[in-house]
Each structure stands twice: as structure tokens, then as C-alpha cells.
Coordinates of all heavy atoms in Angstrom, one line a residue:
A1 N 118.7 85.2 111.8 CA 118.9 84.4 110.7 C 120.4 84.2 110.6 O 121.2 85.2 110.4 CB 118.4 85.0 109.4
Q2 N 120.9 83.0 110.7 CA 122.3 82.7 110.6 C 122.6 81.5 109.7 O 122.9 80.4 110.2 CB 122.8 82.4 112.1 CG 122.6 83.5 113.1 CD 123.7 84.6 113.0 OE1 124.2 84.8 111.9 NE2 123.9 85.2 114.1
P3 N 122.5 81.7 108.4 CA 122.3 82.9 107.7 C 120.9 83.0 107.0 O 120.6 84.0 106.4 CB 123.4 82.8 106.5 CG 123.3 81.3 106.2 CD 123.1 80.6 107.5
N4 N 120.1 81.9 107.1 CA 118.8 82.0 106.4 C 117.7 82.3 107.3 O 117.7 82.1 108.5 CB 118.6 80.7 105.6 CG 118.3 79.5 106.4 OD1 117.3 79.5 107.1 ND2 119.1 78.5 106.3
A5 N 116.6 82.7 106.7 CA 115.4 83.2 107.4 C 114.4 82.2 107.8 O 113.3 82.5 108.3 CB 114.7 84.3 106.6
T6 N 114.8 80.9 107.7 CA 113.8 79.8 108.1 C 113.3 80.0 109.5 O 112.1 79.8 109.8 CB 114.4 78.5 107.9 OG1 114.8 78.3 106.5 CG2 113.4 77.4 108.2
I7 N 114.2 80.3 110.4 CA 113.8 80.4 111.8 C 112.7 81.5 112.0 O 111.8 81.4 112.8 CB 115.0 80.7 112.8 CG1 114.5 80.7 114.2 CG2 115.7 82.0 112.4 CD1 115.7 80.9 115.2
L8 N 112.9 82.6 111.2 CA 111.9 83.7 111.3 C 110.6 83.3 110.8 O 109.5 83.6 111.4 CB 112.5 84.9 110.5 CG 114.0 85.3 110.8 CD1 114.4 86.5 110.0 CD2 114.2 85.5 112.3
Y9 N 110.5 82.7 109.6 CA 109.3 82.4 109.0 C 108.6 81.2 109.7 O 107.3 81.2 109.8 CB 109.5 82.1 107.5 CG 110.0 83.2 106.7 CD1 110.5 83.1 105.4 CD2 109.9 84.5 107.2 CE1 110.9 84.2 104.7 CE2 110.3 85.6 106.5 CZ 110.8 85.5 105.2 OH 111.2 86.5 104.5
S10 N 109.3 80.2 110.2 CA 108.7 79.1 110.9 C 108.1 79.6 112.2 O 107.1 79.1 112.6 CB 109.7 78.0 111.1 OG 110.8 78.4 111.9
T11 N 108.7 80.6 112.8 CA 108.2 81.1 114.1 C 106.9 81.9 113.8 O 105.9 81.7 114.5 CB 109.2 82.0 114.8 OG1 110.4 81.2 115.0 CG2 108.7 82.5 116.1
L12 N 106.9 82.7 112.8 CA 105.7 83.5 112.4 C 104.6 82.5 112.1 O 103.4 82.8 112.4 CB 106.1 84.3 111.2 CG 104.9 85.2 110.6 CD1 104.3 86.1 111.6 CD2 105.4 85.9 109.4
A13 N 104.9 81.4 111.5 CA 103.8 80.5 111.1 C 103.1 79.8 112.3 O 102.0 79.2 112.1 CB 104.4 79.4 110.2
K14 N 103.7 80.0 113.5 CA 103.0 79.4 114.7 C 101.9 80.3 115.2 O 101.1 79.9 116.0 CB 104.1 79.2 115.8 CG 105.2 78.3 115.5 CD 106.2 78.2 116.6 CE 107.4 77.3 116.3 NZ 107.1 75.9 116.3
G15 N 101.8 81.5 114.6 CA 100.7 82.4 115.1 C 99.3 82.0 114.6 O 99.2 81.2 113.7
P16 N 98.3 82.6 115.2 CA 96.9 82.3 114.8 C 96.7 82.8 113.3 O 97.4 83.7 112.8 CB 96.1 83.2 115.7 CG 97.0 83.5 116.9 CD 98.4 83.5 116.4
K17 N 95.8 82.1 112.6 CA 95.5 82.4 111.2 C 94.1 82.9 111.2 O 93.3 82.6 112.0 CB 95.7 81.2 110.3 CG 97.1 80.7 110.2 CD 97.2 79.4 109.3 CE 98.6 79.0 109.1 NZ 99.4 78.8 110.3
L18 N 93.8 83.7 110.2 CA 92.4 84.2 110.0 C 91.6 83.1 109.4 O 92.0 82.2 108.6 CB 92.4 85.3 109.0 CG 93.1 86.7 109.4 CD1 93.1 87.7 108.3 CD2 92.3 87.2 110.6
P19 N 90.3 83.0 109.8 CA 89.4 82.1 109.1 C 89.2 82.5 107.6 O 89.5 83.6 107.3 CB 88.1 82.2 109.9 CG 88.2 83.5 110.5 CD 89.6 83.8 110.8
V20 N 88.8 81.5 106.8 CA 88.7 81.7 105.4 C 87.9 83.0 105.0 O 88.3 83.8 104.1 CB 88.1 80.5 104.7 CG1 87.9 80.8 103.2 CG2 89.1 79.3 104.8
E21 N 86.8 83.2 105.7 CA 86.0 84.4 105.4 C 86.8 85.7 105.6 O 86.7 86.6 104.8 CB 84.7 84.4 106.3 CG 83.8 85.6 106.0 CD 82.7 85.7 107.1 OE1 82.6 84.8 108.0 OE2 81.9 86.6 106.9
Y22 N 87.6 85.7 106.6 CA 88.4 86.9 106.9 C 89.6 87.0 105.9 O 90.0 88.1 105.6 CB 88.9 86.9 108.3 CG 87.8 87.1 109.4 CD1 86.5 87.2 109.0 CD2 88.2 87.3 110.7 CE1 85.5 87.4 110.0 CE2 87.2 87.5 111.7 CZ 85.9 87.6 111.3 OH 85.0 87.8 112.3
Q23 N 90.1 85.8 105.5 CA 91.2 85.8 104.5 C 90.7 86.4 103.2 O 91.5 87.1 102.5 CB 91.7 84.4 104.3 CG 92.5 83.9 105.5 CD 93.0 82.5 105.2 OE1 92.5 81.7 104.4 NE2 94.0 82.1 106.0
I24 N 89.5 86.1 102.8 CA 88.9 86.6 101.6 C 88.8 88.2 101.7 O 89.2 88.9 100.8 CB 87.5 86.0 101.3 CG1 87.7 84.6 100.9 CG2 86.8 86.8 100.2 CD1 86.4 83.8 100.9
N25 N 88.3 88.6 102.8 CA 88.2 90.1 103.1 C 89.6 90.7 103.1 O 89.8 91.8 102.5 CB 87.5 90.3 104.4 CG 87.4 91.7 104.9 OD1 88.3 92.3 105.4 ND2 86.2 92.3 104.7
S26 N 90.5 90.0 103.8 CA 91.9 90.6 103.9 C 92.5 90.7 102.5 O 93.2 91.7 102.2 CB 92.7 89.6 104.7 OG 94.1 90.0 104.8
T27 N 92.4 89.7 101.6 CA 93.0 89.8 100.3 C 92.4 90.9 99.5 O 93.1 91.6 98.8 CB 92.8 88.4 99.6 OG1 93.4 87.4 100.4 CG2 93.4 88.4 98.2
R28 N 91.1 91.1 99.6 CA 90.4 92.2 98.9 C 91.0 93.6 99.4 O 91.2 94.5 98.5 CB 88.9 92.2 99.1 CG 88.2 91.0 98.5 CD 86.7 91.1 98.6 NE 86.2 92.2 97.7 CZ 84.9 92.6 97.8 NH1 84.1 92.0 98.6 NH2 84.6 93.6 97.0
H29 N 91.2 93.7 100.7 CA 91.8 95.0 101.2 C 93.2 95.2 100.7 O 93.6 96.3 100.4 CB 91.6 95.0 102.7 CG 90.3 95.5 103.1 ND1 90.0 96.8 103.2 CD2 89.2 94.8 103.5 CE1 88.7 97.0 103.6 NE2 88.2 95.8 103.8
F30 N 94.0 94.1 100.7 CA 95.4 94.2 100.2 C 95.4 94.6 98.8 O 96.2 95.5 98.3 CB 96.2 92.9 100.5 CG 97.6 93.1 100.2 CD1 98.3 94.3 100.6 CD2 98.4 92.1 99.7 CE1 99.7 94.4 100.3 CE2 99.7 92.2 99.5 CZ 100.4 93.4 99.8
M31 N 94.6 94.0 97.9 CA 94.5 94.4 96.5 C 94.1 95.9 96.4 O 94.7 96.6 95.6 CB 93.6 93.5 95.8 CG 94.1 92.1 95.6 SD 93.0 91.1 94.4 CE 91.5 91.0 95.3
R32 N 93.2 96.3 97.2 CA 92.7 97.7 97.1 C 93.9 98.6 97.5 O 94.0 99.7 97.0 CB 91.5 97.9 97.9 CG 90.9 99.3 97.8 CD 90.3 99.6 96.4 NE 89.1 98.8 96.1 CZ 87.9 99.2 96.4 NH1 87.7 100.4 97.0 NH2 86.9 98.4 96.1

């Protein structure tokens, strides 16, 4: 980051995402 983190977050955003069913499960586990 020179100086902001946009490069870091935009690169991370290129990765695979969980399907909605798994995102629901993931959010429940994070809350727990």
C-alpha cells in the first residue's frame, strides 16, 4: 500500500466467493 490499501483489497476481491447458502452459514458462525 503506497499509501492506501486499495491494491490489497482489490486483489483480495478477485478470489472465489462462497455461494449464498454458505455465506449464510459463514455469517452464523462468525456471529457465534
Side-chain angles (χ1 to χ4, degrees):
Q2 300 279 28
N4 70 61
T6 301
I7 184 176
L8 312 181
Y9 294 166
S10 61
T11 303
L12 177 60
K14 296 176 184 290
K17 294 179 174 57
L18 291 174
V20 172
E21 178 187 3
Y22 289 7
Q23 289 179 338
I24 291 170
N25 176 280
S26 177
T27 299
R28 293 186 68 189
H29 276 276
F30 188 37
M31 289 190 295
R32 185 68 67 91

